[in-house]
Amino acid sequence: MTDVRNVLVPDGLEGERIDAAVARLFGLSRTRAAELAADGKVLVEGSAVAKSARVSAGEHIEVTLPSVDDSPTLAVVAEPVPGMRIIHDDEDIVVVDKPIGVAAHPSVGWSGPDVLGGLAASGYRITTSGASERQGIVSRLDVGTSGLMVVCKSEHAYSVLKRAFKERTVDKTYHALVQGLPDPHVGTIDAPIGRHPSGDYKFAVMDSGKHAITHYELLEAFRHASLLEIKLETGRTHQIRVHMAALRHPCVGDPTYGADPTLGARLGLERQWLHAMGLGFVHPGTGDYVHFESTYPQDLQTALDRLADLS
């Protein structure tokens, strides 16, 4: 069975894309709303529309929602993740060093490996509330970003660390190789980030976006690029990539945000040069401050060595 719903576009959604409007009106993810539009299940004044169409206040929208049985089923599938290392493990948390090409958890549209599946394949048991495919996840890394992630194994740990991330008491340190030489060499970027109007999976600095703060410091300058240490106060999607692109110093190997593909190719990169190096927080079980560190994976180290040779 299906559920057909009809609404009028309120004044507050005037000019919004159809996928954004449907997501807000019906409590869906924007990705799911876009899928419905692509399947012809979103009608505006009786006609099917593309996800990028703009709505006007007062227009009549009809959406055909699938029944629960028709909705995509997400579940953690125990599958080994080559290259994923366990940095720390106790009864409350497990800290992993995530390789590239691995998602944090199962999601619609992703068919590759994920951290939770890798942990399940290694015998780890996660017992927290929330959607089963995201249990224990209190923060995420992009598929194309490597480095440290913490997964909570108990309900208590999940509650404590989720609050810690929300209250910005977790120390998150990244290293990023960016094009050019930022001036000043040490700085703070305080600029809101929102979804880019031209793409579902791209973000941008926008007045209507969410508050985002990034601190950076130059570690080493090369002829074509600079190695930065970056600390995040907030954790917006693609935050480092968006903020550095806004400074016109995009991460090397990140053409999505304006990087020169020629330089990335010369360095042998197939993804953005960005790695989650350090993670520190008050342990939810002991109350002691703990800090974990990672090292560069082989592809990033090779790129850095090649850059040094070019310089």
Side-chain angles (χ1 to χ4, degrees):
M1 294 182 61
T2 55
D3 179 13
V4 179
R5 300 188 188 181
N6 299 276
V7 297
L8 292 178
V9 177
D11 293 341
L13 294 184
E14 171 74 35
E16 286 277 1
R17 283 171 52 116
I18 194 69
D19 51 359
V22 168
R24 292 178 61 181
L25 288 169
F26 298 98
L28 305 172
S29 70
R30 189 162 173 177
T31 299
R32 187 64 180 132
E35 291 172 347
L36 291 174
D39 292 340
K41 295 180 179 179
V42 178
L43 307 182
V44 175
E45 299 298 336
S47 299
V49 291
K51 64 181 181 181
S52 58
R54 302 285 174 173
V55 299
S56 299
E59 285 185 325
H60 180 264
I61 294 182
E62 178 181 300
V63 177
T64 301
L65 299 172
S67 65
V68 174
D69 292 340
D70 295 333
S71 300
T73 299
L74 294 176
V76 174
V77 177
E79 178 183 356
V81 176
M84 188 174 81
R85 297 189 303 123
I86 304 300
I87 301 298
H88 173 83
D89 174 38
D90 60 41
E91 62 182 11
D92 292 300
I93 62 173
V94 56
V95 179
V96 304
D97 200 341
K98 185 186 83 67
I100 61 166
V102 179
H105 57 74
S107 60
V108 175
W110 174 251
S111 59
D114 61 83
V115 169
L116 291 185
L119 290 176
S122 297
Y124 288 87
R125 191 163 171 231
I126 309 298
T127 57
T128 66
S129 60
S132 60
E133 74 277 4
R134 294 195 299 274
Q135 283 192 344
I137 299 293
V138 287
S139 69
R140 294 174 288 185
L141 293 177
D142 297 340
V143 170
T145 299
S146 52
L148 298 177
M149 272 185 57
V150 59
V151 180
C152 298
K153 297 166 67 176
S154 67
E155 185 65 43
H156 172 71
Y158 179 80
S159 176
V160 171
L161 282 185
K162 187 174 182 181
R163 183 170 62 252
F165 274 97
K166 183 177 181 180
E167 294 176 351
R168 306 176 189 173
T169 60
V170 177
D171 296 322
K172 298 172 285 185
T173 303
Y174 294 75
H175 282 187
L177 187 68
V178 303
Q179 291 183 193
L181 179 63
D183 184 15
H185 296 170
V186 178
T188 294
I189 308 166
D190 185 348
I193 292 176
R195 287 188 179 273
H196 195 287
S198 67
D200 291 343
Y201 302 105
K202 187 176 179 180
F203 293 77
V205 169
M206 304 174 66
D207 290 338
S208 60
K210 295 181 179 179
H211 186 223
I213 298 179
T214 301
H215 306 283
Y216 72 87
E217 180 176 353
L218 177 68
L219 293 178
E220 188 172 1
F222 298 91
R223 182 179 179 184
H224 302 284
S226 302
L227 181 64
L228 305 181
E229 179 170 276
I230 294 177
K231 294 184 182 292
L232 296 182
E233 278 197 32
T234 53
R236 307 306 177 198
T237 303
H238 297 181
Q239 179 172 323
I240 295 173
R241 299 165 66 190
V242 171
H243 272 174
M244 297 317 301
L247 288 188
R248 300 190 178 181
H249 296 290
C251 293
V252 175
D254 191 8
T256 298
Y257 288 103
D260 177 6
T262 303
L263 178 58
R266 291 177 72 185
L267 301 183
L269 285 171
E270 296 182 355
R271 51 106 166 200
Q272 67 268 12
W273 204 113
L274 180 61
H275 188 66
M277 291 291 294
L279 192 60
F281 49 85
V282 174
H283 192 284
T286 67
D288 296 329
Y289 182 82
V290 293
H291 187 268
F292 306 98
E293 294 185 353
S294 175
T295 56
Y296 300 151
Q298 188 59 56
D299 66 326
L300 299 190
Q301 185 60 59
T302 297
L304 207 57
D305 293 342
R306 291 181 179 179
L307 183 63
D309 291 340
L310 291 175
S311 301

